[in-house]
Amino acid sequence: MNIEELRKNIDRIDSELTKLFQERMETAARIADYKTENGLPVFDAERERKVINKVTSNVSEEFVPYTKTLYNTMFDLSRSYQRKRMNADSPIKKKINDIISATPLLRPDRAVVACQGVEGAYSQHACDKMFKYPEIKYYPNFDDVFKAVDRGECRYGVLPIENSNAGSVDSVYDLMAKYKFYIVHSTKLFIEHALLTNSGVALSDIKEIFSHEQAINQCSKFIASLGSDVKVTVCKNTAEAAKIVATSGRLDAAAIGSKDCAELYSLKAIASGVQNSGNNYTRFILISKNLEIYPGAKKTSMMMSVAHRPGSLYNIIARFTSLGLNMTKLESRPIPGSNFEFMFYFDIDEFIYSEELKSLIAELDNDSEMFTYLGSYTED
């Protein structure tokens, strides 16, 4: 047989497979209706195991792993289709639709917003980018920002969630899991760090550097170039570091922060662009105690735990793939107090108005022991 004849044979097989696949999915739909009527779960591990054993016994040993993969994929697709039918009127899907209808067309220009740090912090710059007229209240640490929103002192909170070079801000992810607030908006801010000192200080004079842990990581190469005898002191944020150096009056200390902090605290920027990479961005999120979904929401965040067994995470990812949803972030964090169990964070690049996405959220909410929908929002 030549290549064209072989391809015709493949086309014929594909045609038969497509018809059989559609028939299988239609049968799966009828099974879903039966399970709904009788209160049965979608996942039936015993049944799937029997099917795998049966079909793999009818193929040569060479094709056993491929057959198993094929049927596991079909199981995932069938379960996804069944869940979509069974969760058509789920509470979380109704909540999302209701919020979409109730949320105004535009985010407010004015709001009371909680930021971590002091004046000049990068969170403040992110807040100014999100609002025309924010009333900013500063708090010592990230947990205090969440508490301020939780108590109603502030409608929103602005927090860094990840940096293009230093990675995710783990403590913020942990707090999102703890408080289960919603993300209303996010923005990316270009971060250019400078070395800030009091007047009259030379680079060779510096014996101690103050800054936030993330900024220290982002400027590690520059710090290393100053010598191993330079002490590094971690602060709550870069603006606080600048304030410490300014109030100390020391001529052997420096802070790593923004040039705005130099102006705010009467410091000198004796070196600019000291970050490891010129492509240094930090993503900030706007959090709220209440769900708000503004028009154009094309990014969705969620977190969930998965069963501690082989293939569990794959099965979740397969659901996104089967619906053609683009996953832009997958992050894992250990669950405090558990033995080798993890919470997974997902970012999906898809409009929340997509029925496929809303159905998937309903599926995950119904099936996962720990699932939290973190919101759908725009990002700039």
Side-chain angles (χ1 to χ4, degrees):
M1 283 184 140
N2 60 36
I3 187 67
E4 291 304 321
E5 290 175 322
L6 291 170
R7 284 174 174 168
K8 285 181 180 178
N9 198 32
I10 286 287
D11 290 342
R12 177 186 60 77
I13 295 169
D14 285 345
S15 179
E16 293 176 12
L17 282 174
T18 302
K19 291 176 182 177
L20 290 171
F21 176 71
Q22 181 172 330
E23 183 180 348
R24 192 183 197 285
M25 292 294 281
E26 289 170 349
T27 304
R30 290 196 291 271
I31 291 174
D33 295 340
Y34 178 87
K35 288 179 176 180
T36 300
E37 293 170 4
N38 293 274
L40 298 175
V42 170
F43 181 56
D44 187 340
E46 182 181 4
R47 165 64 180 167
E48 291 188 5
R49 188 163 49 250
K50 285 180 178 178
V51 172
I52 290 290
N53 289 336
K54 181 179 179 180
V55 296
T56 53
S57 67
N58 294 325
V59 297
S60 64
E61 197 64 31
E62 178 185 5
F63 293 109
V64 166
Y66 300 104
T67 303
K68 184 176 180 180
T69 300
L70 171 63
Y71 273 82
N72 278 329
T73 301
M74 284 202 296
F75 291 156
D76 291 330
L77 295 173
S78 294
R79 286 197 299 267
S80 179
Y81 187 45
Q82 288 178 329
R83 289 185 179 104
K84 182 178 180 180
R85 291 175 66 92
M86 296 170 73
N87 297 317
D89 299 317
S90 73
I92 192 168
K93 190 173 181 180
K94 183 179 185 304
K95 180 178 181 178
I96 290 171
N97 286 330
D98 289 346
I99 292 297
I100 289 173
S101 300
T103 304
L105 295 177
L106 297 172
R107 292 197 321 276
D109 288 335
R110 300 177 183 272
V112 182
V113 186
C115 288
Q116 186 267 337
V118 294
E119 190 74 17
Y122 286 112
S123 291
Q124 176 230 311
H125 297 312
C127 184
D128 287 337
K129 187 178 176 183
M130 294 180 185
F131 295 95
K132 289 183 180 179
Y133 314 106
E135 180 185 334
I136 302 175
K137 292 187 176 182
Y138 293 101
Y139 295 86
N141 53 57
F142 294 148
D143 189 41
D144 291 325
V145 171
F146 278 86
K147 288 178 179 176
V149 176
D150 193 40
R151 290 192 299 260
E153 293 175 10
C154 300
R155 178 174 174 178
Y156 300 112
V158 172
L159 297 151
I161 194 72
E162 62 181 323
N163 176 265
S164 55
N165 297 313
S168 298
V169 184
D170 293 338
S171 57
V172 173
Y173 274 107
D174 291 340
L175 288 166
M176 288 298 292
K178 176 182 176 182
Y179 285 89
K180 294 181 173 56
F181 285 174
Y182 298 99
I183 301 174
V184 175
H185 183 65
S186 69
T187 190
K188 291 180 180 177
L189 200 67
F190 176 67
I191 305 296
E192 182 178 17
H193 293 302
L195 190 69
L196 313 177
T197 67
N198 289 301
S199 295
V201 178
L203 205 60
S204 58
D205 298 329
I206 296 171
K207 301 300 180 186
E208 185 172 8
I209 290 178
F210 296 83
S211 195
H212 184 264
E213 183 179 10
Q214 284 275 325
I216 292 167
N217 292 336
Q218 293 163 24
C219 303
S220 58
K221 293 179 181 178
F222 175 79
I223 294 172
S225 72
L226 298 179
S228 58
D229 59 334
V230 174
K231 180 183 177 183
V232 177
T233 299
V234 176
C235 302
K236 291 179 180 177
N237 57 75
T238 55
E240 182 187 73
K243 189 174 182 180
I244 289 172
V245 171
T247 55
S248 72
R250 288 173 57 180
L251 300 180
D252 64 345
I256 289 179
S258 69
K259 289 183 179 179
D260 288 344
C261 286
E263 185 177 349
L264 277 170
Y265 299 107
S266 301
L267 298 173
K268 301 293 183 181
I270 64 171
S272 300
V274 297
Q275 65 273 8
N276 296 343
S277 169
N279 185 35
N280 187 33
Y281 287 84
T282 294
R283 180 181 169 219
F284 289 84
I285 56 173
L286 182 69
I287 61 167
S288 171
K289 190 174 182 179
N290 301 311
L291 179 60
E292 300 175 18
I293 302 176
Y294 291 93
K298 197 175 185 291
K299 184 181 285 289
T300 290
S301 297
M302 60 188 78
M303 58 186 176
M304 64 181 298
S305 63
V306 299
H308 192 50
R309 61 172 180 262
S312 295
L313 181 59
Y314 165 78
N315 290 335
I316 297 297
I317 295 174
R319 297 195 202 180
F320 294 103
T321 304
S322 66
L323 295 173
L325 301 176
N326 181 28
M327 184 188 302
T328 58
K329 184 179 181 65
L330 171 60
E331 185 96 10
S332 66
R333 293 284 296 150
I335 299 174
S338 66
N339 292 323
F340 305 106
E341 292 187 42
F342 291 83
M343 183 72 75
F344 291 90
Y345 298 82
F346 302 87
D347 281 348
I348 309 300
D349 186 26
E350 177 66 43
F351 286 109
I352 188 57
Y353 318 104
S354 160
E355 285 301 315
E356 287 79 9
L357 179 54
K358 286 186 284 189
S359 294
L360 177 63
I361 292 170
E363 290 176 27
L364 298 176
D365 181 56
N366 185 65
D367 296 341
S368 177
E369 291 182 7
M370 296 175 63
F371 174 82
T372 302
Y373 167 63
L374 295 175
S376 300
Y377 50 95
T378 56
E379 181 173 279
D380 54 33

